[in-house]
């Protein structure tokens, strides 16, 4: 790639509509993520109660859900640090639309994984 092509790529600026769309996508994914996190906490709490009441309770499923919750917390903290610009000594800078879009995509992917876990839990609980 020559300098002229590089200048074209670096001078692109997203329109206000594009930025608004990305921000709304990020906000929707973040809100859904928080809702699923709360639901996952409820499921974990009820499994912990069941485990205390029944000494023969299989704790494998509980451990998987706790691991998923820890992963969710790690992802959220990483995204928050990334948004604040405090990672690896960078000075604070506003997030770019591409960064928000990739965050929203990551959260959507995690939301699908959480949904699958919660659906399998409710299916097992109903059986």
């Amino acid at each position: 790639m020559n300098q002229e092509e590089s200048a074209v790529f670096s001078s692109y600026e997203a329109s206000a509509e594009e930025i608004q769309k990305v921000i709304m996508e990020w906000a929707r994914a973040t809100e859904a993520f928080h809702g699923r996190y709360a639901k996952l906490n409820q499921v974990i709490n009820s499994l912990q109660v069941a485990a205390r009441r029944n000494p023969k309770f299989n704790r494998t499923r509980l451990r998987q859900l706790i691991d998923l919750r820890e992963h969710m917390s790690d992802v959220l903290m990483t995204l928050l640090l990334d948004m604040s610009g405090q990672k690896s000594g960078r000075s604070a800078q506003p997030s770019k639309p591409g960064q928000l879009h990739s965050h929203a995509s990551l959260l959507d992917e995690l939301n699908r994984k959480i949904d699958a876990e919660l659906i399998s839990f409710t299916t097992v609980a109903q059986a």
Side-chain angles (χ1 to χ4, degrees):
M1 178 167 39
N2 62 31
Q3 278 186 320
E4 189 175 298
E5 287 177 297
S6 176
V8 170
F9 289 130
S10 64
S11 66
Y12 172 78
E13 289 192 32
S15 69
E17 293 84 22
E18 289 173 309
I19 292 172
Q20 183 178 11
K21 181 182 174 189
V22 168
I23 290 171
M24 293 305 294
E25 175 187 2
W26 178 83
R28 180 197 46 77
T30 303
E31 185 176 328
F33 184 80
H34 284 290
R36 283 170 177 86
Y37 189 86
K39 178 67 176 170
L40 186 60
N41 274 330
Q42 290 175 343
V43 169
I44 288 170
N45 289 341
S46 43
L47 285 176
Q48 287 173 330
V49 167
R52 282 191 292 263
R53 290 182 184 161
N54 182 359
K56 295 181 183 180
F57 181 82
N58 184 350
R59 298 181 193 287
T60 304
R61 185 80 177 125
L62 176 59
R63 185 73 239 157
Q64 290 171 337
L65 293 176
I66 290 172
D67 289 345
L68 178 59
R69 181 177 62 185
E70 288 174 6
H71 178 65
M72 291 174 70
S73 296
D74 292 345
V75 166
L76 193 56
M77 287 305 296
T78 300
L79 294 182
L80 289 173
L81 286 173
D82 193 28
M83 296 288 287
S84 71
Q86 295 177 2
K87 187 171 67 173
S88 67
R90 294 188 307 191
S91 59
Q93 55 185 319
S95 294
K96 297 180 175 83
Q99 185 181 20
L100 287 176
H101 179 70
S102 46
H103 287 183
S105 295
L106 176 63
L107 290 175
D108 280 340
E109 181 182 325
L110 260 175
N111 286 340
R112 284 189 294 277
K113 183 176 180 178
I114 296 161
D115 285 346
E117 290 292 329
L118 292 176
I119 287 171
S120 67
F121 170 75
T122 55
T123 303
V124 169
Q126 291 173 353

